[in-house]
Amino acid sequence: MLETVLQNLRAQGRRLLVPYVMAGVDPDWLSLVDLVVECGADAVEIGIPFSDPSMDGPVIQRAGELSLARGVTPLSVLSELRSRSFSVPVVVMTYYNLFHHMGIERAVTELRRSGVDGVIIPDLPIEEVGEWRTAAGKAQLETVQLVSPATSLERLDAIVAVAEGFVYGVGLMGVTGERAELAETATAIAARIRPRTSLPVLIGIGISSGAQAAAVVEAGADGVVVGSALLRRVLEGQSPTELASFVSEIRSSLDQAR
């Protein structure tokens, strides 16, 4: 469903927006998911907190710490997701240890039962993705792959060959976080990936404003993933109106991009 939905939207000329929400960052975090959907999200990335998040910068780490302190677990997140339905695809992002501990077959079953359409596992390299991808495929669960600015063209081709849903272009080397200016690598990687896959190409990490989102799609990406900039506002206690204004500004900038 994830890939089909995004492909259809792209075919209609829509620039894609995928906000990231850390499960449990607020006791009513599902309302935050509702909010971003209402503001024009085309899919939502749900973070499941992990105690040693190697890819996460300080904002997302803090959100994860708050979530863990509230007693959030992978199964509690999936249980809460089962209680709701959303009009857009849901992608879960977390680290492989959690799924390995749960057991692959159980993990993919629980994910699908909870309405999850795709997964992002940043610490599972393509050389080791086979068992997971086979089990996930049987459950119709799509596994998104990441491409970094340091990825060689040879490896990029190997990654996109097994990618599903969309290709996640990492906008800059390092951990997640806001940036005052868009890294040159964010536009460069969009241009590198685009001709090598028919999948939607979304750029994340360092996308902090509508102007930056627009620059990325004008460089060849199909859309953006926005995480730290949104979660910082959540952690600061901004109101739903303020959060909606931020997400809507990203949406508007994407819609107006050349």
Side-chain angles (χ1 to χ4, degrees), residues 105-163:
E105 294 294 338
R106 183 187 182 195
V108 298
T109 298
E110 293 291 341
L111 286 161
R112 283 304 292 151
R113 283 184 61 219
S114 303
V116 174
D117 302 288
V119 292
I120 301 170
I121 312 174
D123 60 341
L124 183 62
I126 56 171
E127 292 82 5
E128 300 173 22
V129 77
E131 183 181 6
W132 168 268
R133 189 167 177 266
T134 297
K138 291 177 181 177
Q140 298 183 316
L141 190 67
E142 298 170 15
T143 303
V144 174
Q145 299 292 334
L146 294 95
V147 176
S148 85
T151 301
S152 68
L153 290 179
E154 180 180 12
R155 186 166 181 80
L156 193 161
D157 287 336
I159 290 171
V160 300
V162 298

Side-chain angles (χ1 to χ4, degrees), residues 6-253:
L6 297 185
Q7 291 276 34
N8 287 342
L9 289 170
R10 181 177 65 174
Q12 296 167 22
R14 185 172 173 89
R15 305 295 176 73
L16 305 172
L17 172 59
V18 180
Y20 171 98
V21 175
M22 174 64 76
V25 66
D26 181 274
D28 194 22
W29 66 273
L30 287 171
S31 291
L32 178 57
V33 178
D34 288 331
L35 182 148
V36 300
V37 172
E38 291 169 3
C39 292
D42 300 299
V44 181
E45 181 182 346
I46 306 294
I48 296 180
F50 181 57
S51 58
D52 187 23
S54 57
M55 187 176 173
D56 297 343
V59 170
I60 294 181
Q61 281 194 34
R62 177 58 180 153
E65 290 167 358
L66 287 173
S67 182
L68 290 171
R70 292 190 172 103
V72 170
T73 68
L75 289 177
S76 73
V77 172
L78 298 181
S79 177
E80 288 191 78
L81 284 174
R82 274 197 297 277
S83 71
R84 302 283 276 276
S85 62
F86 302 102
S87 60
V88 302
V90 172
V91 184
V92 158
M93 182 277 189
T94 197
Y95 296 85
Y96 187 63
N97 185 58
L98 294 181
F99 294 143
H100 179 73
H101 180 74
M102 190 185 302
I104 292 175
E105 294 294 338
R106 183 187 182 195
V108 298
T109 298
E110 293 291 341
L111 286 161
R112 283 304 292 151
R113 283 184 61 219
S114 303
V116 174
D117 302 288
V119 292
I120 301 170
I121 312 174
D123 60 341
L124 183 62
I126 56 171
E127 292 82 5
E128 300 173 22
V129 77
E131 183 181 6
W132 168 268
R133 189 167 177 266
T134 297
K138 291 177 181 177
Q140 298 183 316
L141 190 67
E142 298 170 15
T143 303
V144 174
Q145 299 292 334
L146 294 95
V147 176
S148 85
T151 301
S152 68
L153 290 179
E154 180 180 12
R155 186 166 181 80
L156 193 161
D157 287 336
I159 290 171
V160 300
V162 298
E164 299 165 329
F166 64 89
V167 177
Y168 191 137
V170 177
L172 73 166
M173 297 299 292
V175 296
T176 61
E178 293 182 83
R179 303 296 190 277
E181 296 182 0
L182 185 67
E184 291 183 5
T185 49
T187 52
I189 197 167
R192 287 181 70 214
I193 300 172
R194 177 67 284 150
R196 310 187 86 85
T197 181
S198 61
L199 289 172
V201 175
L202 276 67
I203 306 301
I205 303 185
I207 308 299
S208 307
S209 69
Q212 292 177 2
V216 165
V217 297
E218 288 170 0
D222 297 300
V224 296
V225 178
V226 179
S228 294
L230 173 60
L231 282 182
R232 174 180 60 79
R233 289 167 168 80
V234 173
L235 293 174
E236 290 174 349
Q238 290 194 14
S239 69
T241 299
E242 291 171 313
L243 297 174
S245 177
F246 171 70
V247 178
S248 297
E249 189 259 334
I250 301 286
R251 177 73 267 165
S252 178
S253 295

